[in-house]
Amino acid sequence: MEVAGRVSASVATASLVNAISDAEPPSMTFCGEELERLRADTPGCRERIHLNNAGAGLMPRPVSRAIIEHLELESRIGGYEAAEARTDAVGSAYEAVARLVGGDRRNVAFTENATSAYAQALSAIPFEPGDTILTSSDDYVSNQLMFLSLARRLGVRVERGPNTREGTVDVGAIADFVRRRVCREYEVPYLVDVCQSIGQLPLDVEGIGCDFLSATSRKFLRGPRGSGFLIVSDRILQSDCAPLFIDLRGATWTTLDAYRLT
C-alpha cells in the first residue's frame, strides 16, 4: 500500500536524499576542521546566527543545488519526463529515509509535509463514535485541530495527558496508554510526530513500536520545505487500513465500483 500520493515529484525527494545523506549521526563529535567544512557548505552561516532550526533549518549547498538542477531539468524536458529520468535518485531517497529511522523502504511514503503525513495516518484509522484520541497538552496545533475536527464530525473523544510542574509532558502519568506493550495488547494505533527529533536524535522506528511516524525534512535534516514523509508499520500495511482519500499510487481501480489496495 502506498499510503501517500506522489509529491511534486522528484524536486523534493531528490534534494531530500542529499540532506539525509549529509546528515551525521547525532552522537558523533566533530573536530574544528569538520565543523568548518559543514559551515562552509551552508552559505547562511556566513550571514547570520540561525536559531530557528525548529522551524526551518538552513539548507546546505547539496540540497539547494539538487533543487535548482531538477527545476532546470523540468524546464528543458518536462515534469513527468524529469521525474522518470531521476527515478534512481527518488529511489535513493526512500532508502535514505529507511536507513535514517531503522526501517525498510516499503514502509516509507513521501508527502508534502509532516502535517499531510499525519493527516494521511489519521484518515487510515477507522474511528467510531466513542473512540478516544489520547494526546498531550503541547501537541502541534495542526494535529490538535485535526483531533477536534474528528471529534466534531465522528463523535470521538480527545483526552490530553497532564504536564509536569516544569512544563514538560508527564510521560509517567500517561504511560499505561502510550507504552508499546499496551498499544499492542489492545491493538491501539500508535501515531508519533517526530518533527523536532528527526535529524538531531537517533531514531529507531522498531524500538519506538509505533504504527505511524510522521516527519518533515525542513528542520534538523536541513532539507527543502514542501517535503515530508510517513513511516507505516508492517502491521498496518498487512491490514485493511488505508487513507480516506486514495490515489492511483495507493490502489488499482479494478471495476467500476471497486478497487484493490496496492
Side-chain angles (χ1 to χ4, degrees):
M1 177 180 72
E2 178 74 16
V3 173
R6 192 170 190 159
V7 189
S8 51
S10 320
V11 178
T13 50
S15 52
L16 177 58
V17 71
N18 284 282
I20 295 174
S21 298
D22 286 352
E24 301 287 353
S27 59
M28 177 178 287
T29 57
F30 299 105
C31 67
E33 183 178 338
E34 289 169 326
L35 285 174
E36 287 304 313
R37 176 180 59 81
L38 292 172
R39 292 181 188 279
D41 216 15
T42 309
C45 287
R46 295 197 301 268
E47 303 174 9
R48 64 185 61 232
I49 297 174
H50 185 75
L51 301 178
N52 192 27
N53 289 308
L58 296 175
M59 288 191 297
R61 282 196 181 91
V63 175
S64 57
R65 188 184 305 123
I67 295 173
I68 294 169
E69 289 177 353
H70 191 82
L71 288 174
E72 290 177 342
L73 181 63
E74 285 194 348
S75 70
R76 295 198 308 272
I77 68 174
Y80 285 103
E81 291 79 4
E84 184 176 357
R86 298 303 306 279
T87 298
D88 290 343
V90 173
S92 296
Y94 282 88
E95 297 287 352
V97 169
R99 291 196 305 271
L100 185 66
V101 300
D104 191 276
R105 64 172 294 167
R106 69 176 179 276
N107 303 107
V108 179
F110 282 107
T111 61
E112 295 89 339
N113 49 55
T115 298
S116 177
Y118 204 91
Q120 290 278 10
L122 273 181
S123 76
I125 301 173
F127 288 108
E128 296 179 356
D131 286 348
T132 297
I133 296 175
L134 180 67
T135 182
S136 70
S137 300
D138 299 320
D139 203 354
Y140 185 49
V141 173
S142 291
N143 298 347
Q144 292 281 345
L145 291 173
M146 284 188 260
F147 300 155
L148 295 177
S149 178
L150 286 169
R152 178 179 296 184
R153 179 166 297 190
L154 299 181
V156 302
R157 297 192 304 268
V158 180
E159 295 188 8
R160 298 175 179 85
N163 287 344
T164 64
R165 294 179 60 182
E166 292 75 21
T168 59
V169 176
D170 189 343
V171 178
I174 58 175
D176 287 339
F177 295 96
V178 299
R179 282 184 306 189
R180 178 183 178 184
R181 176 182 61 79
V182 173
C183 287
R184 283 291 178 264
E185 180 180 349
Y186 295 103
E187 296 187 353
V188 175
Y190 183 15
L191 169 56
V192 180
D193 180 341
V194 298
C195 280
Q196 300 301 344
S197 303
I198 195 80
Q200 66 166 332
L201 295 174
L203 290 178
D204 177 4
V205 69
E206 292 296 327
I208 294 173
C210 57
D211 293 299
F212 302 98
L213 184 146
S214 63
T216 183
S217 70
R218 76 173 189 272
K219 299 179 186 290
F220 296 95
L221 287 178
R222 304 197 299 163
R225 297 185 68 187
S227 62
F229 55 88
L230 179 67
I231 307 297
V232 185
S233 71
D234 286 336
R235 183 172 84 102
I236 295 297
L237 292 179
Q238 293 163 6
S239 70
D240 291 328
C241 288
L244 180 60
F245 299 108
I246 311 169
D247 65 13
L248 56 81
R249 285 174 59 85
T252 299
W253 194 11
T254 54
T255 63
L256 186 61
D257 296 314
Y259 65 87
R260 181 183 69 255
L261 295 176
T262 55

